Amino acid sequence: MQPEVPSYMQGSTRRVGIMTDVHRRFLQLLMTHGVLEEWDVKRLQKHCYKVHDCNATVEKLEDFINNINSVLESLYIEIKKGVTEDDGRPIYALVNLATTSVSKMASDFAENELDLFRKALELIIDSETGFASSTNILNLVDQLKGKKMRKKEAEQVLQKFVQHKWLVEKEGEFTLHCRAILEMEQYIRETHPDAVKVCDLCHGLLIQGQSCETCGIKMHLPCVAKYFQSNSEPRCPHCNDYWPHEIPEVFDPEKEREAGISKSNKKPLRSRQH
Amino acid sequence: MPRGQKSKLRAREKRRQAQIETQRSKSQRSRRAPPTTNTSAGVSCTRSDEGAKNQDEERPSTSQASASTDDPHRTPLDQKAILLVEFLLRKYNMRDPITKQDMMRQVIKKHKAHFHVILKKASELMVLAFGIDVKEVDPIRHRYVLVSKLQRTSDDRLRGEKIMPKTGLLMTILCVIFMKANCAAEEDIWEVLNVMGIYADKKHYIYGDANKLITEDFVQERYLEYRQVPNSDPPRYAFLWGPRAHAETSKMKVLEFLAKLHDTVPSAFPAWYEEALRDEEERARARFASLLRIGTTANVPSGVNLGSLSQL
């Protein structure tokens, strides 16, 4: 009933991964949601065990995911873990590494739409805040490759990017969706080697963050939160100058869950990144 | 005397070699997996992908050609199958219908003659890795849908979210149907869609041919039912909820969707709220009843674990 994965799909030197319906259901549901927070992922994992194999002990999430990844490796697919740039939530998404460019979006978008994305991406990377205004993006509509696109159409396309979780909109400005960062980080670093910003602490791609006004280094908000936690006199790790920005709080899943229970009847926040 | 570290390691290594050998001789294809780290696969992809900044319009064939340089056992058809899997997964996520034409244009390209082989390989991979079937629902126009082989359960929705990412439009339609006593005339639906800027005779930027989408695609996916109004001449049509809509969402969920649109709560619509509550009760009763049935009868479909009572 649960066929073992054929050898041509298994990871070579590491331990051989076994796929069962538990893992398949997990993957299907993860894909359906696009990107999930760690707490939801753990619930999802438990749910999948409950449905298919309720007597088994639920494997530690990290091992569970590594197991799946070892099987999917030969398809250039993996479950990748990241952290949202604005509030440090741990997130997971299924990313595809077979195509490492905007062409991975080609199944859903026309040539001129893909070019619009590239233009928006450039504006986002070059911006100070990590956000590109709708106006600035739409002004580039004349420079697009492919069929001519009107500004009205471009507005719709931007909404389509949001719907497909490539971009996020916040008060008329656009930035990358956390899933897009996970899936396209490599592509972005390769194609914008000079313009791209990098976090001084974790060395990961940086779209949004805080910067030192003296020496210019940048750090992710969650990296800042962790680095300066309970430090009353935060100083730049590079030039030691006083760090002028408000230090955000480290993300606490427990506190989040309590707040979530009492918040269940309220409108969801628009600025949430998933 | 317990064995020393070295001899244990040697024995382990020997066992592993033996394992690999038997696997190789057992397997039909004796292909080995590609590089162990994703980084190296990714890097070899991009090296031939992008030269200058905006030159990333490369065809996927370029990237996948270099992705295989680390594994000489991968045939070009295998590589295409992998790219087709990526393509199909994106369609699954967005619940889009899939045509052979799309697959040819986007993925298969110059390997058109080998479409069936590539599709077959990709389908196998989809089943093994994700438990998803690629089914041809229209052999004439060559249209496919992706169906999970796994039984749906009610808890598949986390926090009561909608499973259907291709949201607004379908939810709106389900809403209208619900508001019109569970059967909405085709004209009613279009009245609402027109307000949203979606027209039957104009191509919509996100939904494309909206008429086809709601009268064919959603119907095929069993989200909607499209029936002729009896004794209507000229024939008029009406929409009802399809079985998949009943399975994946509920009247209460749809009412919540409507309430959110109007910045209010479901109970603000007393009549519909009543009906939605009754529907919730009915569902709970049905779940409970089938729980008892599974526990007591021996007539269980194969593959269902009797111990797993949450499988409904």
Side-chain angles (χ1 to χ4, degrees):
Chain A
M1 265 286 106
Q2 288 167 350
E4 205 179 292
V5 179
S7 64
Y8 67 87
M9 266 187 72
Q10 292 165 350
S12 48
T13 53
R14 297 210 301 269
R15 61 174 250 253
V16 163
I18 306 287
M19 276 291 235
T20 68
D21 281 350
V22 177
H23 306 93
R24 293 185 187 101
R25 183 178 289 270
F26 179 84
L27 283 170
Q28 284 185 20
L29 292 171
L30 179 60
M31 277 196 293
T32 304
H33 288 90
V35 60
L36 278 178
E37 285 186 46
E38 188 161 59
W39 186 52
D40 285 328
V41 171
K42 287 186 170 153
R43 277 183 56 188
L44 188 64
Q45 183 198 16
K46 288 196 187 76
H47 164 70
C48 294
Y49 269 97
K50 205 166 70 140
V51 172
H52 291 284
D53 198 358
C54 59
N55 294 318
T57 359
V58 175
E59 204 180 1
K60 200 175 91 171
L61 185 66
E62 196 186 326
D63 294 332
F64 183 78
I65 288 180
N66 285 341
N67 178 33
I68 292 176
N69 282 344
S70 72
V71 174
L72 296 184
E73 196 178 28
S74 51
L75 297 179
Y76 301 100
I77 294 172
E78 70 165 344
I79 300 173
K80 212 163 168 194
K81 181 178 176 183
V83 163
T84 58
E85 280 195 323
D86 54 358
D87 51 7
R89 294 158 185 278
I91 48 153
Y92 293 80
L94 197 70
V95 301
N96 202 302
L97 306 161
T99 49
T100 55
S101 76
V102 165
S103 61
K104 60 168 66 260
M105 298 166 63
S107 57
D108 301 311
F109 297 94
E111 194 195 345
N112 56 359
E113 293 170 334
L114 294 179
D115 214 36
L116 183 68
F117 184 79
R118 281 188 210 101
K119 291 272 182 289
L121 184 59
E122 258 183 60
L123 286 178
I124 289 168
I125 291 169
D126 288 336
S127 76
E128 249 311 299
T129 58
F131 282 84
S133 74
S134 172
T135 324
N136 289 345
I137 299 173
L138 295 177
N139 282 339
L140 299 173
V141 140
D142 292 325
Q143 301 172 26
L144 297 179
K145 296 183 205 155
K147 207 174 90 171
K148 194 157 174 62
M149 190 193 293
R150 294 189 312 274
K151 278 194 184 167
K152 214 65 179 92
E153 288 172 44
E155 273 177 7
Q156 304 271 37
V157 178
L158 288 177
Q159 289 311 314
K160 201 174 159 190
F161 291 144
V162 171
Q163 192 187 20
H164 282 66
K165 300 198 167 126
W166 293 111
L167 294 181
V168 159
E169 187 192 348
K170 195 169 168 180
E171 286 152 17
E173 295 197 311
F174 291 88
T175 188
L176 284 180
H177 196 286
C178 54
R179 175 185 83 97
I181 295 178
L182 274 183
E183 193 148 5
M184 289 190 171
E185 170 163 0
Q186 196 150 0
Y187 159 73
I188 293 171
R189 291 176 86 141
E190 301 263 342
T191 50
H192 303 81
D194 305 313
V196 101
K197 302 179 194 87
V198 157
C199 174
D200 198 67
L201 284 178
C202 72
H203 306 294
L205 173 72
L206 186 142
I207 302 288
Q208 292 178 59
Q210 293 179 350
S211 32
C212 174
E213 277 156 21
T214 317
C215 66
I217 61 131
K218 293 191 183 298
M219 300 198 280
H220 290 123
L221 292 163
C223 294
V224 165
K226 230 189 296 181
Y227 188 73
F228 290 133
Q229 199 175 13
S230 52
N231 181 341
S232 50
E233 265 204 42
R235 289 183 168 278
C236 171
H238 195 248
C239 69
N240 210 39
D241 218 10
Y242 178 63
W243 192 259
H245 308 284
E246 184 186 335
I247 310 297
E249 292 222 346
V250 175
F251 175 71
D252 182 358
E254 290 304 318
K255 223 185 276 178
E256 179 70 16
R257 213 175 315 157
E258 281 164 39
I261 293 169
S262 61
K263 244 199 315 189
S264 55
N265 290 323
K266 301 208 188 117
K267 256 202 296 195
L269 298 169
R270 212 159 64 93
S271 56
R272 282 279 213 91
Q273 270 235 354
H274 57 277
Chain B
M1 247 311 74
R3 286 159 74 177
Q5 269 296 84
K6 273 200 194 152
S7 78
K8 272 196 191 154
L9 285 173
R10 249 179 275 134
R12 205 176 296 156
E13 193 52 47
K14 263 203 200 147
R15 256 181 281 134
R16 247 207 357 196
Q17 287 298 338
Q19 225 179 18
I20 293 172
E21 284 310 312
T22 43
Q23 276 176 359
R24 268 213 208 118
S25 55
K26 250 197 252 171
S27 83
Q28 319 243 334
R29 305 213 199 165
S30 68
R31 269 185 234 293
R32 291 236 305 224
T36 46
T37 62
N38 286 309
T39 336
S40 60
V43 167
S44 56
C45 276
T46 49
R47 226 174 267 144
S48 59
D49 274 6
E50 281 88 25
K53 233 183 188 185
N54 292 322
Q55 288 305 313
D56 62 356
E57 292 161 306
E58 93 309 355
R59 298 138 358 256
S61 53
T62 319
S63 67
Q64 124 264 344
S66 40
S68 73
T69 47
D70 295 282
D71 183 6
H73 298 278
R74 275 275 148 74
T75 71
L77 294 189
D78 284 333
Q79 293 159 23
K80 281 294 184 189
I82 290 174
L83 285 176
L84 187 56
V85 167
E86 176 182 14
F87 176 85
L88 293 172
L89 289 179
R90 293 206 191 275
K91 295 294 184 184
Y92 180 79
N93 192 33
M94 296 310 294
R95 300 279 158 142
D96 284 344
I98 305 157
T99 63
K100 178 177 177 180
Q101 195 187 22
D102 277 340
M103 288 193 266
M104 288 293 211
R105 239 183 334 116
Q106 304 270 1
V107 183
I108 312 287
K109 301 194 187 180
K110 57 186 162 102
H111 290 94
K112 281 187 169 48
H114 304 280
F115 171 74
H116 284 290
V117 175
I118 297 171
L119 181 61
K120 186 161 179 292
K121 282 178 197 272
S123 303
E124 275 170 26
L125 293 171
M126 291 289 283
V127 169
L128 283 169
F130 302 97
I132 296 171
D133 257 333
V134 182
K135 286 199 196 296
E136 185 173 33
V137 287
D138 188 343
I140 299 165
R141 283 176 299 176
H142 301 296
R143 291 165 83 243
Y144 300 80
V145 293
L146 300 174
V147 180
S148 168
K149 290 182 88 75
L150 307 174
Q151 249 182 307
R152 248 174 241 292
T153 71
S154 51
D155 291 335
D156 274 356
R157 282 168 286 156
L158 290 169
R159 292 197 216 151
E161 279 165 359
K162 342 183 244 269
I163 292 198
M164 305 169 272
K166 194 165 187 176
T167 59
L169 184 62
L170 184 58
M171 278 305 260
T172 307
I173 296 172
L174 293 177
C175 214
V176 175
I177 297 172
F178 174 42
M179 294 192 298
K180 296 279 183 186
N182 304 310
C183 181
E186 191 167 13
E187 303 86 57
D188 295 334
I189 301 284
W190 283 113
E191 201 180 348
V192 172
L193 295 187
N194 288 346
V195 169
M196 291 165 61
I198 304 169
Y199 301 91
D201 52 348
K202 252 206 285 184
K203 182 172 190 276
H204 188 264
Y205 223 81
I206 295 177
Y207 302 112
D209 184 352
N211 188 38
K212 179 170 163 293
L213 182 61
I214 69 174
T215 59
E216 288 179 25
D217 300 341
F218 282 153
V219 173
Q220 215 158 64
E221 296 226 348
R222 290 157 56 236
Y223 284 122
L224 296 178
E225 275 184 26
Y226 182 56
R227 292 202 204 137
Q228 188 176 349
V229 174
N231 306 320
S232 59
D233 190 7
R236 286 167 46 242
Y237 294 86
F239 285 92
L240 297 92
W241 281 36
R244 200 164 167 185
H246 283 292
E248 292 189 12
T249 189
S250 67
K251 292 178 179 176
M252 189 56 83
K253 291 276 155 292
V254 164
L255 194 59
E256 281 168 14
F257 172 80
L258 179 69
K260 227 191 274 184
L261 284 180
H262 291 268
D263 214 2
T264 179
V265 287
S267 48
F269 310 98
W272 292 325
Y273 188 56
E274 283 265 326
E275 195 181 339
L277 279 176
R278 267 182 275 128
D279 182 59
E280 290 296 299
E281 270 175 41
E282 194 51 56
R283 284 166 181 264
R285 233 176 282 142
R287 269 201 297 272
F288 193 58
S290 60
L291 258 173
L292 294 176
R293 271 203 297 274
I294 287 181
T296 55
T297 62
N299 211 7
V300 172
S302 67
V304 171
N305 183 356
L306 259 183
S308 167
L309 291 182
S310 55
Q311 203 162 33
L312 298 169

